[in-house]
């Protein structure tokens, strides 16, 4: 088959963000835009000739087209084999699982996570390395730099492949293997959790659950795991048919975008357990009957109870959390006598800690939890972890949470997002805090006194690399915190994120609504950062 060398010109907007390159579909549809980025990935890698690449995505609009483009380009660039999920589908955690299991050279994930899909929605592409995790900044910067010098890309002159039939096909000198997207991942889950016990819980007649796949990639995974292996009833699974536009929804499992599920769990005759995952299957939301578990609390509860599951019976090496995630897990780490690592936002920062065996569990406040079983966060893994704990402890979600808070204290926590605001205004807000923040030390706001204000910088304890400007932290003398940072995954204007946290050790005061418990801090945040002024908004777009 003939290899074509196609002349092209650089696009100046191909710098990967928090999680790969994310843009509007219409941006990706520009001639050569996708091809340029794929070639830039390959050009930034060494020694991949004859090796294996894993490719798949969350099934959104443009997924199939992108898979075909990547297959032709991988063949032309000399890969030996590409493993593709049937229909071009693979959840992000499944890509990580396959890279590790088949010792692939790397993988390409096609997803814009929870961002809306369809011709007017978003698309995304991300490169993962041989450990199964998102490429570290060194590589994403190399990709960007190649994308700025690109003059040609290589592709094969051939027709589209059939992505829907399992088995091996030949593409030039390269093999293409279409596999069941669900099987290997399911096997991994079965090794970590006590499926017999969970099955018994679901069959007991005393326990009802709802899992919402939000018309995204986890549908087929949920069917196989919850229905076929664990015996959940079909009506316990919602929206399990993946759609190219995610049914017009916004598959972000939080209180706002997974409202249908939240309504069920807070309604009459609510089930005992509810969970949802996002577009590409790496996020999770955990609900109990009339109860929402913040992702920060979820990490802490999983860590404190991990010894009750087969996969983590041996204990944890350490816990890692992103900086804006609440400090609830820190207290668990302290009691377990293990290390707690605080990293910048983005899963890629956990990779080195997991590879070095320093951390076993990781989590982000943004509905991401995971462990050393993979190098991505993992939505269904978190759901199964909770089910395993509920099956062992035979308590309700709320009872487990209450017990945890009584024992460790409660970290009231909330995130306020101001989406799609002016990039200039948001930039000014951050710049002002960066410059004037340190002078806030010692200043009093009602009951709160500022202990420090800094711009978070992280030195990776494994490779010594330094990441600066990762978010403004304002700490108060009682341990309360607020964090301001700009999103690195948005595709329109800027998104300002404000993270608020207050610690409450007294069980008598642990059952407030989080927004009420944080009301003073919310006011102080606006006073200090002049949020309304800089965003021109009276209120956040999303509160979680
Ligand atoms: C957001 C989350 C972050 C997560 C990332 C990818 O990034 O805040 O924790 O790792 O999505 O899912 P942000 O938009 O804040 O840069
Ligand atoms: Zn995601």
């Amino acid at each position: 088959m003939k290899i074509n060398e196609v002349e092209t010109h650089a696009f100046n907007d191909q710098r990967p963000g928090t999680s790969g390159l994310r843009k509007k579909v219409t941006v990706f549809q520009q001639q050569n835009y996708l091809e340029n980025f794929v070639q830039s990935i390959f050009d930034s890698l060494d020694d991949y000739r004859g090796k294996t690449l894993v490719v798949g995505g969350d099934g959104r609009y443009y997924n199939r087209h992108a898979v075909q483009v990547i297959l032709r380009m991988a063949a032309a660039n000399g890969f030996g084999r590409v493993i593709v999920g049937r229909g071009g589908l693979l959840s992000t955690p499944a890509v990580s699982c396959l890279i590790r299991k088949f010792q692939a050279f790397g993988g390409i994930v096609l997803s814009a996570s929870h961002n809306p899909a369809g011709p007017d929605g978003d698309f995304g592409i991300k490169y993962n390395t041989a450990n199964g995790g998102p490429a570290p900044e060194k590589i994403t910067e190399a990709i960007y730099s190649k994308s700025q010098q690109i003059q040609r890309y290589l592709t094969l002159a051939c027709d589209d492949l059939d992505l829907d039939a399992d088995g091996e096909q030949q593409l030039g000198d390269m093999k293409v293997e279409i596999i069941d997207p669900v099987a290997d991942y399911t096997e991994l889950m079965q090794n970590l959790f006590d499926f017999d016990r969970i099955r018994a819980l679901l069959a007991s007649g005393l326990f009802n659950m709802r899992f919402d796949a939000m018309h995204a990639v986890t549908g087929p995974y949920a069917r196989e795991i919850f229905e076929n292996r664990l015996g959940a009833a079909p009506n316990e699974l919602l929206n399990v048919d993946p759609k190219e536009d995610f049914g017009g929804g916004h598959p972000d499992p939080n209180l706002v975008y997974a409202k249908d599920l939240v309504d069920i769990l807070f309604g009459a005759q609510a089930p005992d357990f509810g969970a949802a995952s996002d577009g590409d299957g790496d996020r999770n939301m955990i609900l109990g009957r009339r109860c929402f578990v913040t992702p920060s609390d979820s990490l802490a509860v999983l860590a404190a109870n991990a010894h009750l599951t087969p996969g983590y019976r041996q204990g944890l090496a350490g816990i890692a959390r992103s900086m804006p995630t609440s400090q609830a897990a820190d207290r668990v780490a302290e009691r377990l006598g293990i290390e707690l690592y605080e990293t910048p936002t983005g899963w890629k920062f956990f990779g080195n800690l997991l590879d070095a065996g320093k951390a076993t569990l990781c989590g982000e406040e943004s509905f991401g939890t995971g462990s050393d079983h993979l190098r991505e966060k993992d939505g269904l893994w978190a759901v199964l972890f909770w089910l395993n704990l509920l099956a062992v402890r035979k308590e309700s979600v709320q009872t487990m949470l209450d017990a945890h808070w009584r024992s460790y204290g409660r970290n009231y926590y909330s995130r306020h997002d101001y989406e799609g605001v002016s990039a200039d205004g948001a930039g000014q807000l951050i710049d002002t805090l960066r410059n004037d923040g340190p002078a806030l030390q010692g200043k009093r706001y009602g009951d709160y006194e500022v202990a420090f204000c800094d711009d978070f910088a992280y030195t990776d304890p494994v490779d010594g690399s330094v990441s600066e400007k990762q978010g403004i932290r304002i700490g108060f003398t009682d341990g309360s915190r607020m964090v301001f940072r700009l999103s690195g995954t948005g595709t329109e204007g800027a998104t300002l994120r404000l993270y608020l946290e207050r610690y409450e050790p007294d069980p008598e005061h642990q059952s407030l609504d989080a927004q009420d418990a944080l009301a003073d801090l919310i006011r102080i945040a606006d006073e200090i950062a002049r949020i309304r002024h800089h965003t021109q908004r009276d209120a956040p777009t999303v509160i979680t």
Side-chain angles (χ1 to χ4, degrees), residues 349-406:
F349 293 100
F350 294 135
N352 278 349
L353 298 171
L354 295 168
D355 284 348
K358 287 180 178 294
T360 308
L361 294 193
C362 317
E364 292 194 278
E365 48 64 42
S366 52
F367 298 83
T369 337
S371 89
D372 60 356
H373 71 293
L374 295 180
R375 295 297 179 271
E376 289 279 2
K377 55 187 177 250
D378 189 346
L380 288 173
W381 167 90
V383 178
L384 288 165
F385 204 139
W386 267 93
L387 285 172
N388 196 151
L389 297 185
L390 294 167
V392 173
R393 291 187 53 136
K394 300 197 170 24
E395 290 171 342
S396 73
V397 175
Q398 184 71 59
T399 308
M400 266 182 74
L401 260 188
D402 288 342
H404 186 89
W405 293 336
R406 257 199 317 280

Side-chain angles (χ1 to χ4, degrees), residues 19 22 58 60 92-93 111-115 126 251-253 277-284 366-367 376-377:
S19 194
R22 279 193 203 165
D58 61 17
R60 65 177 60 226
T92 295
S111 170
S113 190
H114 50 282
N115 293 9
K126 178 173 92 163
D252 199 359
S277 193
D278 72 331
D280 61 327
D282 57 357
R283 294 187 176 196
N284 74 89
S366 52
F367 298 83
E376 289 279 2
K377 55 187 177 250

Side-chain angles (χ1 to χ4, degrees), residues 405 410 412 502 504 509-518:
W405 293 336
R410 176 172 180 185
Y412 281 109
R502 175 165 89 74
E504 178 54 72
H509 297 114
Q510 287 172 351
S511 46
L512 291 176
D513 174 78
Q515 301 308 314
D516 294 338
L518 295 165

Side-chain angles (χ1 to χ4, degrees), residues 17-331:
T18 312
S19 194
L21 186 69
R22 279 193 203 165
K23 302 281 173 194
K24 292 268 158 217
V25 167
T26 47
V27 172
F28 272 102
Q29 283 170 329
Q30 296 173 86
Q31 194 179 7
N32 297 343
Y33 192 89
L34 172 67
E35 288 82 352
N36 273 19
F37 192 73
V38 173
Q39 187 64 50
S40 304
I41 294 176
F42 296 159
D43 286 346
S44 67
L45 307 174
D46 295 319
D47 299 330
Y48 57 77
R49 290 216 140 255
K51 303 224 169 111
T52 300
L53 189 70
V54 175
V55 177
D58 61 17
R60 65 177 60 226
Y61 183 79
Y62 219 55
N63 189 105
R64 278 179 176 265
H65 170 75
V67 170
Q68 301 284 359
V69 166
I70 293 167
L71 288 174
R72 285 195 279 269
M73 289 184 65
N77 278 277
F79 274 93
R81 176 168 75 138
V82 176
I83 298 175
V84 189
R86 190 192 313 124
L89 283 189
L90 283 175
S91 73
T92 295
V95 171
S96 190
C97 165
L98 291 167
I99 294 174
R100 295 170 70 77
K101 179 163 179 178
F102 295 106
Q103 294 173 351
F105 184 84
I108 294 182
V109 185
L110 302 166
S111 170
S113 190
H114 50 282
N115 293 9
D120 302 321
D122 291 347
F123 190 73
I125 171 167
K126 178 173 92 163
Y127 180 70
N128 282 21
T129 51
N131 71 349
E137 249 167 27
K138 202 173 74 205
I139 296 182
T140 55
E141 279 303 300
I143 296 172
Y144 175 62
S145 133
K146 292 288 180 191
S147 79
Q148 297 310 289
Q149 301 152 18
I150 194 165
Q151 292 178 342
R152 59 98 185 103
Y153 67 83
L154 303 181
T155 187
L156 224 55
C158 63
D159 291 338
D160 277 1
L161 262 74
D162 177 3
L163 299 178
D164 297 305
D166 288 7
E168 214 171 271
Q169 307 174 45
Q170 197 70 28
L171 188 57
D173 294 335
M174 187 181 88
K175 281 192 176 32
V176 176
E177 215 174 301
I178 310 284
I179 62 159
D180 174 359
V182 175
D184 299 286
Y185 176 81
T186 302
E187 185 189 303
L188 178 60
M189 292 302 111
Q190 216 153 358
N191 292 336
L192 294 173
F193 300 114
D194 193 337
F195 272 36
D196 290 341
R197 240 170 152 151
I198 301 175
R199 196 180 308 110
L201 175 72
L202 293 179
S204 67
L206 301 170
F207 186 89
N208 278 304
M209 66 174 277
R210 291 288 182 283
F211 175 79
D212 190 347
M214 304 187 87
H215 287 306
V217 79
T218 51
Y221 294 83
R223 275 225 166 100
E224 176 60 22
I225 295 174
F226 297 125
E227 223 177 289
N228 298 346
R229 308 276 174 125
L230 295 171
N235 71 347
E236 292 186 290
L237 306 182
L238 310 172
N239 305 318
V240 277
D241 296 315
K243 301 216 165 120
E244 281 203 332
D245 66 349
F246 300 145
H250 196 136
D252 199 359
N254 61 37
L255 297 174
V256 176
Y257 295 121
K259 186 161 184 310
D260 293 350
L261 179 72
V262 174
D263 286 347
I264 293 174
L265 269 293
F266 281 79
Q269 275 128 39
D272 304 275
F273 179 74
S277 193
D278 72 331
D280 61 327
D282 57 357
R283 294 187 176 196
N284 74 89
M285 176 171 67
I286 303 293
L287 301 164
R289 179 181 295 146
R290 270 170 240 116
C291 145
F292 161 63
V293 185
T294 70
S296 298
D297 279 341
S298 180
L299 175 64
V301 171
L302 297 186
N305 293 281
H307 59 281
L308 301 176
T309 65
Y312 305 93
R313 189 160 285 148
Q314 316 304 336
L316 309 176
I319 307 172
R321 63 160 175 83
S322 69
M323 180 273 283
T325 302
S326 97
Q327 298 162 96
D330 304 28
R331 299 181 182 275

